[in-house]
Amino acid sequence: MVHIVVNEEQAKIIHKTSGRVEVRDSQGNLLGFISANSATEEIDIAKGRMESDEPRHTTQEVLEHLQSCTID
């Protein structure tokens, strides 16, 4: 896996940000996005959804629904 080491100041900004951080080169071109806490946040969201009374669908149900939708 390729990795990039950020300096201390950059690391602080990434850790303080609750959302995504845009990564740009020196000319301002967008290279991508990073987030320090995305896994933890995603797990919390998933746990909240599992505890709710909202309807759930299996992967198979979703795939069948998508296959039943046709574009004319």
Side-chain angles (χ1 to χ4, degrees), residues 4-69:
I4 297 173
V5 178
V6 298
N7 64 35
E8 236 179 276
E9 181 181 341
Q10 293 165 328
K12 286 179 185 177
I13 292 168
I14 293 166
H15 285 294
K16 286 182 181 179
T17 304
S18 60
R20 298 186 311 174
V21 176
E22 288 185 2
V23 178
R24 296 183 177 267
D25 65 17
S26 59
Q27 286 75 44
N29 298 311
L30 181 63
L31 300 174
F33 301 92
I34 58 173
S35 177
N37 300 316
S38 63
T40 303
E41 291 170 13
E42 292 294 326
I43 291 169
D44 290 343
I45 291 168
K47 285 180 179 178
R49 288 181 180 165
M50 290 299 293
E51 293 170 357
S52 77
D53 291 333
E54 293 180 22
R56 294 184 206 134
H57 304 282
T58 65
T59 302
Q60 186 62 40
E61 290 171 330
V62 172
L63 291 174
E64 288 171 0
H65 172 73
L66 292 173
Q67 289 171 346
S68 72
C69 298

